[in-house]
Amino acid sequence: MDASHDVHEPGSARSSEGTALEIRSLPGRPGIRAAGEINVITRSFWEHALVDLANAHTDVSFVELSDLMSIDVGGAAALAVTAQRLPTGRIVVDRPPPELERILDMFWPGLSTIEVAGR
C-alpha cells in the first residue's frame, strides 16, 4: 500500500525473511486492522497506512491490533506522531501488544490523542 491508496483497500507487505504485515480497513467503523509485525522492514507500509488513516480521520479513528505480534519503537513513534498531528479527536487503539502501551508511556506519557482499549 502506498500513500495514494485509500484505507479501505486491503494490503500487505512481506520481506524476503518472512516478516509480514497485513493492513485492512475495519468493517462498520472508521479505521484499520493490522496483523503481523511492525518493525524496520514493514514500517514504511505501516506509516503509509497511518497517513491514509489521518487523511480519512474525522473525530475518532480505530486501530485494531489484536492480531499484531509485535511493534517496535519506530512503529509506536509513527502512531504517536500521527495522533499528535490530528486536528481534532483521537485514535482508539484496540488490544495492542503489551509493548506498545509501555513504549507510549515511556516516550509519550499523557498523550491524550491515543486511547488504549481492551488491554
Side-chain angles (χ1 to χ4, degrees):
M1 176 193 294
D2 64 36
S4 65
H5 286 155
D6 186 85
V7 292
H8 301 291
E9 293 182 29
S12 63
R14 181 174 299 277
S15 74
S16 59
E17 294 84 25
T19 299
L21 176 62
E22 180 181 340
I23 297 177
R24 302 215 180 266
S25 63
L26 288 174
R29 60 184 181 164
I32 57 175
R33 175 191 161 279
E37 301 174 51
I38 298 171
N39 54 39
V40 68
I41 296 166
T42 60
R43 187 167 317 121
S44 66
F45 181 62
W46 171 243
E47 289 170 346
H48 289 304
L50 291 173
V51 167
D52 292 342
L53 180 74
N55 288 338
H57 179 80
T58 54
D59 185 44
V60 178
S61 294
F62 296 89
V63 178
E64 164 62 54
L65 298 179
S66 62
D67 292 328
L68 194 67
M69 294 183 295
S70 64
I71 185 169
D72 67 4
V73 174
L79 179 64
V81 168
T82 299
Q84 288 174 321
R85 291 182 176 164
L86 294 176
T88 62
R90 68 190 190 287
I91 295 175
V92 176
V93 179
D94 194 18
R95 294 177 284 163
E99 65 267 23
L100 178 61
E101 195 166 9
R102 287 192 301 267
I103 293 167
L104 291 174
D105 287 344
M106 181 179 292
F107 294 105
W108 296 273
L111 180 60
S112 63
T113 52
I114 293 182
E115 176 185 330
V116 178
R119 290 168 230 183

